[in-house]
Amino acid sequence: MEKNWYSSPLSLRDIQITDAFWKGEMELVRREVLPYQWAALNDEVEGAAPSFCMRNFKVAGKLNQEKREKGDAFVEPAYTFRGFEALPEDPEHLEDKFYGFVFQDSDFSKWIEAVGYSLTQHPDEELERIADGAIDLVCAAQQEDGYLDTYYIINGRDKTFSNLRDHHELYCFGHLTEGAVAYYQATGKDKLLNAVRRFADYIGNYFGSEEGKCKGYPGHEIAEMALVRLYEVTKEERYLTLARFFVDERGKRPYYFDSEQHPDMQRRGQKEELRYQYNQAHLPVREQDEAVGHAVRAVYLYSGMADVARLTGDEALYGACEKLWNSIVNEKMYVTGGIGGTHIGEAFSFPYDLPNDTAYAETCASIGLVFFARRMLEIRPDARYANVMERALYNGVLSGMALDGKSFFYVNPLEVNPEACRRDERKFHVKPVRQKWFGCACCPPNLARLLSSIGSYAYTESEDTLFVHLYMGGILSKKVQGQDVDVCVESGFPWDGNVKIKVRAQNTSFRLALRLPDWCSGYEASGLEDAQTEERDGYLYVKKEWQEEDCIELSFPMEVKLIAANPRVREDVGKVAVTRGPIVYCLEEADNGKDLHMLSLGAGSKPTVVEEKICGIPAKTIEMPGYRREAKEMAGLYHTWRADHKKVVGLRFIPYYMWANRSENEMQVWTRME
Amino acid sequence: MEKNWYSSPLSLRDIQITDAFWKGEMELVRREVLPYQWAALNDEVEGAAPSFCMRNFKVAGKLNQEKREKGDAFVEPAYTFRGFEALPEDPEHLEDKFYGFVFQDSDFSKWIEAVGYSLTQHPDEELERIADGAIDLVCAAQQEDGYLDTYYIINGRDKTFSNLRDHHELYCFGHLTEGAVAYYQATGKDKLLNAVRRFADYIGNYFGSEEGKCKGYPGHEIAEMALVRLYEVTKEERYLTLARFFVDERGKRPYYFDSEQHPDMQRRGQKEELRYQYNQAHLPVREQDEAVGHAVRAVYLYSGMADVARLTGDEALYGACEKLWNSIVNEKMYVTGGIGGTHIGEAFSFPYDLPNDTAYAETCASIGLVFFARRMLEIRPDARYANVMERALYNGVLSGMALDGKSFFYVNPLEVNPEACRRDERKFHVKPVRQKWFGCACCPPNLARLLSSIGSYAYTESEDTLFVHLYMGGILSKKVQGQDVDVCVESGFPWDGNVKIKVRAQNTSFRLALRLPDWCSGYEASGLEDAQTEERDGYLYVKKEWQEEDCIELSFPMEVKLIAANPRVREDVGKVAVTRGPIVYCLEEADNGKDLHMLSLGAGSKPTVVEEKICGIPAKTIEMPGYRREAKEMAGLYHTWRADHKKVVGLRFIPYYMWANRSENEMQVWTRME
């Protein structure tokens, strides 16, 4: 690994995102999601299932009015492995017990992380005050020894770390750490960070390679990358060591999870080969070469692996990351950047199995793919990673949130027939309309933290290079050779491909690396006259002594393209997806009538790009002539085939991420070619 | 209903099937299936899961060596609603308990029924002796009061009829009745028939419309049509009354099944509307107009409804049968005559939801559709019913059995990718190769009883008409106006459409009604010179005074046809199925290589019909030029669409029912049209 390539994200305090497109998304998060989420954490959302999150912290910290009952038997939460919601019988009469999912603490953590990012882009004293109060409450629950997970504090510390596979204890720790680091980096306040360090030290005393320490690792990964962040902010080597331990230990035989008492495994006699694929713990991570199991867990693990590989210069680990990356993007990724072909285990299916109507493609999994992509970019700036990051962001991630920021998809299918969602149990996981909030609140807060920190995905820097991976408007301030440099980016993305990069510097020499998107074959550039330029791995490297008013202009042609899938993808054979620039388009019933599968495109169809608004949001739609099967074929089930039963119709494609904002209806990404 | 149309099957003793095609299938049953089945009933098949069927009868009849333990608590069988196999921990040390599925008795019943039919076509003293011995054993288990179900005899009579929804008690009674009637009709021996009458009387004393009697009905239907058969052979009105009671009572509110203690329903609070759709008990049967729930149960019920409607002249009930028939054939039937679009509940899915690769299309369901079709034909001779019967028989039924009669499909998908069957949990129910035998042995014995009695589906008779619904070679002997008439049919079906019907009579006047198949638009006929003829409802009626050597020749052109599905069927849009006469064809990997979904047909392709053998069995295959997507598209997941990436290849189609006889491989019925 060429270490001189390594880059890292800029501090969000040094980036101000001004982009019309992304600023709009960030504002939705700030104005809609964060307040809603805070209310949800406090069980104050009318009609919504209570979260119990902050309540659990109060109970754990004995901050609630009533005295906690003593000597309770260990209470299993009303929680099952597949993730059902926990509700007390009578919400009016809650006892001093833990309620909700076993991972309920993480709701707070995701919220505080998003709040931290948001404060860097939009200071807000009132929000910061609320956040500080919440942190006080959380810290009050921390135990003398540093332990801080309300589920076990309330239910009995003797069971601590007894069910790593299912009980998300290290997952909660990971999220808490990410939240604490983000809040510290945003505000400089270290109360939560210090609490997390104590918790991390507690964990580090319990787990590790040293004799006598527990050889377990998280059932749901995230602690790996969280510990790396903690290391990067504290410079304490032991956190990196612990992260590496979790990565290294994973999947070794005999399986650690076998040493836990899992009734389901006992029923199955623990005989199944590679039985922890769901948790990516079936093989040592360096031997894994196919992305398998729960998709969110997978990409969280791979992100942590990439982090550890970068910081330890571990070639073998990086090699595994590369193989797993290729497994995803060459065999297991939807054209939208969605991942997870099956709802069974919310998991990757086998290679090329990418069904459109039963897709899982969880919002969180696409978010995790973005995490993984940026970490691969940090190791090696190759546009392969950034192209996928962009694909996921503009499509499979953004589709998770309604245009008004008030409802959310967990599952992002590429084809929806609402009748099937209601009547076919195999599609019950697919919702034809976004939902208000979820009992298991992972996707909305995950969106909140990603969108609020979007700038850290657009830009990374190495010693001598500023990388622009995504084109979004913003102002970056950086120190180069002790001098202040401002870089101001203006972009029409994703609706047009024009980008202006203005640099304000004083004869400062450094490189800009500008990504050349894979969706256009050429580009135009100006302002490069007195620069050294080089194209490599999908980036245009521009080196010069930058002056006061330097400006580079780039223009990436955004043509409408018909995309075909590898013919091994059975579901897409003979079909095309319509794209323009980074945006994947879809047909929706609202524009094209019912029975979208009866529509098709011809080879010579000329597209027209239309500038308009959808639900008040500016967008570009695509109109194209196509065909519709005619109704005279409708009687009976089977008849002799005839070629001529179709009529010419106008088709209207809208951006995929904007679907399901105009009431429940059919949607389809892949359309048949005649 | 015009009662003068009513017809009924000829006695199998008056039909000798000589047809090359069907005789071959019947011989497979006689030589392979019946002996194997008998061994299975007696747990004598090496390597196969024991059935315990005959053993349970012995335990119930106290014919086993050991003395049955007394005072046992009621033992729930290791049986779950979805049908898992029950096995004792240590097969070497069986106790005097009931083992196996709760419906294990029915294995014997299906066997004895098939034996009865087989004896009419092929007398076999040894087989009859074994059958008589088995009947002795079964009858020995009958209780003083007539009760005869080993599960409750062994486990405790106090629980009798306590779980009609799940425990298949009346289902076992139904099968026993069908077996007894068949054996009596074949051999004239009435020992089992008399036992069944006593059991039926016991049931009739327990259930009924009279005050004080139980208002329950079968969870798994079949007793309805079985009781009608018992009525028809005994002429005892009370059996028809009981059949009608079961039909009438079904689906009334409050639901009878709610009065039973079902833990799953209690969990769900019994609140779900129309909650017994699975059992077709969600609405009174006369109000049902959509085929729903478990497909086998459904067509068994509809068959019983048709029987009762015919015998009681019940117009409303017949109307419901018509609606349910139309619901199946216009919205819910595969082109193979398979029914059951989802494995969840082995059930009908919603209208037009006919996925090919996750189909259930259970062999037994297609068999049940044949039952239903013949009963509709008995009420009204309309080729609509016979066309579907023929479609199911030659395709979705026969596909259930290997060409050597030694292995069987439960599930008959229309598209199979073996990798998906192994790696995708959503397709675990789909097997790429036929299985030896099943713990839940419904399909093989059901095939045995249908194929052994195939003549009763080909021919029915009314007062003045002999109906020929299916063309298969055979000799029929009937009395018309006191005179002996022989009808000899010769047919090249399903490989050619030539039929000869020779009548040997002495100036006897009656009508022949000859079905005009829907898969050809015209036909040629000779020998009709001095006859009155009329075409009506898909039959050619031929009336004349038949002489010693009359012969009618019919020729139905069998052209290769490309069939399209109603475009509402999402899975089939843009695709065709290849058919010829009654046979549906498929592509198999053995002939066409891997990745069958990459193959396609062009509009002008000319088919060639080839006469050959598959696994030694004569057949006609179809060769046609087509296309295959080229391999250069194989790198990466997505690329810009291009029209030209296909090459011309020769495609070979074989009869669908013959697939999976040449080792595990891909198969596909619906092929894309370019």
Side-chain angles (χ1 to χ4, degrees), chain B residues 336-348:
Chain B
T336 54
I339 52 175
T342 175
H343 70 284
I344 298 174
E346 307 178 325
F348 288 107

Side-chain angles (χ1 to χ4, degrees), chain A residues 634-664:
Chain A
M634 298 295 199
L637 259 181
Y638 303 106
H639 60 268
T640 302
W641 178 85
R642 287 172 299 262
D644 56 348
H645 275 183
K646 54 183 193 282
K647 62 177 177 185
V648 175
V649 293
L651 304 183
R652 182 172 187 250
F653 295 84
I654 67 158
Y656 169 74
Y657 84 88
M658 295 181 124
W659 92 275
N661 280 286
R662 296 171 297 169
S663 87
E664 177 182 301

Side-chain angles (χ1 to χ4, degrees), chain A residues 165-347:
Chain A
R165 195 193 66 174
D166 303 338
H167 274 188
H168 291 69
E169 211 169 353
L170 293 170
Y171 168 86
C172 287
F173 158 73
H175 266 301
L176 191 64
T177 301
E178 296 238 33
V181 170
Y183 196 74
Y184 166 73
Q185 288 178 324
T187 61
K189 293 178 181 170
D190 63 3
K191 179 168 184 175
L192 190 60
L193 184 72
N194 289 332
V196 154
R197 291 176 67 157
R198 288 177 57 214
F199 192 10
D201 291 336
Y202 177 86
I203 292 170
N205 285 330
Y206 190 91
F207 295 94
S209 55
E210 297 87 348
E211 215 187 299
K213 284 190 175 178
C214 177
K215 299 295 177 283
Y217 42 82
H220 191 316
E221 305 92 325
I222 192 177
E224 300 82 356
M225 60 174 157
L227 281 163
V228 167
R229 287 187 75 173
L230 189 60
Y231 160 72
E232 293 193 304
V233 77
T234 63
K235 304 295 173 206
E236 294 282 4
E237 197 73 25
R238 63 181 180 278
Y239 301 133
L240 177 59
T241 303
L242 184 56
R244 183 170 191 165
F245 167 77
F246 283 147
V247 165
D248 285 348
E249 204 58 29
R250 195 165 205 88
K252 281 191 187 164
R253 307 273 182 123
Y255 291 131
Y256 177 79
F257 294 149
D258 278 354
S259 71
E260 300 184 333
Q261 300 302 311
H262 296 300
D264 59 331
M265 283 298 174
Q266 270 140 29
R267 268 201 306 279
R268 289 193 279 166
Q270 301 193 332
K271 273 178 193 159
E272 189 194 332
E273 265 300 290
L274 304 177
R275 57 187 163 280
Y276 296 113
Q277 288 206 22
Y278 172 82
N279 310 80
Q280 299 78 43
H282 55 303
L283 286 172
V285 298
R286 286 170 185 74
E287 295 170 27
Q288 297 188 23
D289 57 9
E290 182 182 346
V292 295
H294 188 269
V296 174
R297 296 176 196 231
V299 282
Y300 280 18
L301 168 65
Y302 308 156
S303 298
M305 285 165 61
D307 279 338
V308 170
R310 175 173 52 86
L311 290 170
T312 61
D314 187 330
E315 294 275 358
L317 193 55
Y318 173 68
C321 291
E322 261 294 291
K323 282 183 190 163
L324 293 164
W325 173 270
N326 288 333
S327 167
I328 294 173
V329 304
N330 291 335
E331 299 180 342
K332 300 195 174 192
M333 181 183 71
Y334 288 96
V335 70
T336 54
I339 52 175
T342 175
H343 69 286
I344 298 174
E346 306 178 328

Side-chain angles (χ1 to χ4, degrees), chain A residues 319-619:
Chain A
C321 291
E322 261 294 291
K323 282 183 190 163
L324 293 164
W325 173 270
N326 288 333
S327 167
I328 294 173
V329 304
N330 291 335
E331 299 180 342
K332 300 195 174 192
M333 181 183 71
Y334 288 96
V335 70
T336 54
I339 52 175
T342 175
H343 69 286
I344 298 174
E346 306 178 328
F348 288 107
S349 189
F350 61 92
Y352 305 104
D353 188 40
L354 294 164
N356 295 309
D357 57 348
T358 58
Y360 204 72
E362 188 179 336
T363 305
C364 287
S366 285
I367 290 171
L369 183 59
V370 171
F371 296 165
F372 185 25
R374 195 196 67 195
R375 282 159 176 84
M376 293 302 272
L377 280 172
E378 290 179 45
I379 297 177
R380 183 187 151 90
D382 187 320
R384 288 189 296 129
Y385 306 123
N387 289 329
V388 167
M389 187 164 79
E390 184 186 66
R391 181 187 290 276
L393 272 174
Y394 281 106
N395 303 288
V397 170
L398 283 186
S399 61
M401 185 163 72
L403 294 176
D404 65 4
K406 293 183 176 170
S407 58
F408 303 88
F409 278 136
Y410 249 58
V411 168
N412 295 276
L414 279 78
E415 185 179 316
V416 167
N417 169 16
E419 184 181 18
C421 301
R422 278 192 303 273
R423 298 196 56 178
D424 182 356
E425 212 170 315
R426 294 166 297 190
K427 291 173 188 153
F428 279 1
H429 64 287
V430 176
K431 305 294 173 204
V433 289
R434 291 181 183 79
Q435 311 290 299
K436 213 49 204 151
W437 196 260
F438 293 90
C440 169
C442 70
C443 296
N446 232 346
L447 269 165
R449 68 192 187 113
L450 177 69
L451 296 175
S452 303
S453 60
I454 194 70
S456 65
Y457 297 87
Y459 306 103
T460 62
E461 58 180 346
S462 67
E463 223 169 65
D464 66 343
T465 310
L466 175 69
F467 290 92
V468 182
H469 305 296
L470 302 171
Y471 294 102
M472 62 180 68
I475 300 164
L476 291 72
S477 309
K478 110 216 181 89
K479 284 263 185 218
V480 180
Q481 297 138 30
Q483 290 186 302
D484 287 329
V485 172
D486 283 350
V487 178
C488 171
V489 179
E490 292 171 21
S491 145
F493 271 49
W495 309 121
D496 79 56
N498 300 323
V499 179
K500 260 189 208 172
I501 298 162
K502 297 179 191 163
V503 178
R504 218 186 338 248
Q506 292 173 329
N507 300 329
T508 320
S509 175
F510 68 95
R511 290 196 305 180
L512 270 179
L514 307 166
R515 173 175 151 259
L516 305 173
D518 61 345
W519 40 259
C520 60
S521 49
Y523 63 95
E524 287 178 17
S526 67
L528 301 176
E529 295 74 17
D530 52 351
Q532 283 176 276
T533 62
E534 182 192 6
E535 282 186 29
R536 195 174 64 210
D537 295 335
Y539 286 82
L540 172 66
Y541 286 83
V542 181
K543 185 168 188 177
K544 64 179 281 186
E545 290 213 343
W546 302 88
Q547 313 294 330
E548 182 66 29
E549 284 293 321
D550 272 331
C551 179
I552 297 175
E553 291 192 41
L554 293 167
S555 179
F556 303 107
M558 285 193 180
E559 284 165 18
V560 175
K561 288 202 174 177
L562 302 186
I563 299 298
N566 186 313
R568 287 198 190 92
V569 182
R570 284 166 191 263
E571 308 273 340
D572 299 340
V573 72
K575 296 178 179 174
V576 294
V578 175
T579 66
R580 183 176 176 276
I583 297 285
V584 174
Y585 283 76
C586 69
L587 292 169
E588 216 179 5
E589 182 183 336
D591 303 308
N592 301 284
K594 272 201 175 300
D595 292 321
L596 297 176
H597 66 284
M598 292 190 201
L599 301 174
S600 57
L601 281 165
S605 296
K606 287 260 180 307
T608 311
V609 178
V610 183
E611 203 166 335
E612 60 179 313
K613 288 187 175 183
I614 293 177
C615 302
I617 313 285

